[in-house]
Amino acid sequence: AQKVTQAQTEISVVEKEDVTLDCVYETRDTTYYLFWYKQPPSGELVFLIRRNSFDEQNEISGRYSWNFQKSTSSFNFTITASQVVDSAVYFCALHLLLSGAGSYQLTFGKGTKLSVIP
Amino acid sequence: GAVVSQHPSWVICKSGTSVKIECRSLDFQATTMFWYRQFPKQSLMLMATSNEGSKATYEQGVEKDKFLINHASLTLSTLTVTSAHPEDSSFYICSARRGQFGGEQFFGPGTRLTVL
């Protein structure tokens, strides 16, 4: 069975600090995708990144960076120089093909609530 | 990114009534849409997968007769909560996948349902 664990329920940082959100996943599949989404107080999920299981290159996008480590089944997300607008709940998600079912399912972690204090 | 809309954004209804929520992909065709439910301070729980032109696939524990899903076209899926009760009050979110496996899922803004 697939599972996504975000061990940090809530994190508070002071503005301009760096913060890393952890994500550990479990799956027996060799082909899968990992996602990060941001959910601000308004509720709408915002797509941040998608990474496939064959691409372990780390990625940087502005103040955001992602570290994918297949050896430890982790896909951690770092925000550099955090800002108040980064305050939101962040979800890590695993997307895989359910063998034999022919369906595609996105499994979410429980989310990490990030509060950036001015 | 692609745009997915949901209507209404919030609804308050009396217990026993039915409520329909629409999910539309505005600038792309989506053969597959998904319906999620999110309780306060919790994660998204997949309710069902909606495929255009066929019956929806419901997750274990989700009542098919209570949560009716219709995927009438490549840009529209509807969720009808029938005979709503206070315990159905929740935040309902739809998403539409662009492309096939591994394609990005774009989420609607969500619908907050309150059943009195």
Side-chain angles (χ1 to χ4, degrees), chain A residues 52-100:
Chain A
N52 77 55
S53 53
F54 299 107
D55 182 3
E56 285 193 73
Q57 279 192 332
N58 292 329
E59 182 157 338
I60 298 175
S61 177
R63 297 185 296 108
Y64 296 168
S65 62
W66 291 269
N67 185 338
F68 179 26
Q69 299 275 347
K70 282 185 79 170
S71 60
T72 56
S73 297
S74 65
F75 187 42
N76 297 336
F77 172 34
T78 297
I79 301 175
T80 305
S82 60
Q83 300 176 2
V84 173
V85 293
D86 296 328
S87 298
V89 179
Y90 291 86
F91 291 98
C92 179
L94 171 66
H95 188 193
L96 52 89
L97 173 62
L98 299 180
S99 299

Side-chain angles (χ1 to χ4, degrees), chain A residues 31-33 35 37 39 42-45 47 50 91 95-97 104-106 108-110, chain B residues 4 34 36 38 42-44 46 49 59 91 93 97 100-105 107-109:
Chain A
T31 303
Y32 51 87
Y33 286 82
F35 293 80
Y37 289 92
Q39 187 178 40
S42 62
E44 183 168 359
L45 279 152
F47 165 82
R50 175 185 61 177
F91 291 98
H95 188 193
L96 52 89
L97 173 62
Y104 310 105
Q105 191 174 65
L106 195 63
F108 284 87
K110 292 189 175 182
Chain B
V4 175
F34 304 87
Y36 295 85
Q38 186 180 31
Q42 294 190 24
S43 187
L44 284 75
L46 180 65
T49 301
E59 295 301 301
F91 192 52
I93 305 173
R97 187 176 65 220
Q100 296 302 315
F101 172 58
E104 295 174 28
Q105 279 190 34
F107 287 81

Side-chain angles (χ1 to χ4, degrees), chain B residues 23-96:
Chain B
C23 176
R24 293 180 185 272
S25 55
L26 298 184
D27 51 1
F28 68 101
Q29 294 184 330
T31 47
T32 304
M33 291 184 172
F34 304 87
W35 287 96
Y36 295 85
R37 185 174 181 176
Q38 186 180 31
F39 290 107
K41 298 186 179 181
Q42 294 190 24
S43 187
L44 284 75
M45 297 300 296
L46 180 65
M47 298 175 66
T49 301
S50 169
N51 294 298
E52 188 267 337
S54 64
K55 291 184 178 180
T57 303
Y58 290 81
E59 295 301 301
Q60 193 172 13
V62 178
E63 298 176 58
K64 301 178 184 181
D65 296 332
K66 182 166 189 61
F67 298 100
L68 301 178
I69 292 173
N70 185 305
H71 196 148
S73 73
L74 288 172
T75 59
L76 173 64
S77 177
T78 60
L79 167 68
T80 301
V81 183
T82 62
S83 187
H85 288 96
E87 57 265 30
D88 298 324
S89 299
S90 187
F91 192 52
Y92 292 87
I93 305 173
C94 76
S95 73

Side-chain angles (χ1 to χ4, degrees), chain B residues 11-13 19 21 81 84 88-92 111-115:
Chain B
V11 57
I12 301 173
C13 69
V19 174
I21 303 170
V81 183
D88 298 324
S89 299
S90 187
F91 192 52
Y92 292 87
T111 297
R112 190 162 301 283
L113 170 64
T114 302
V115 184

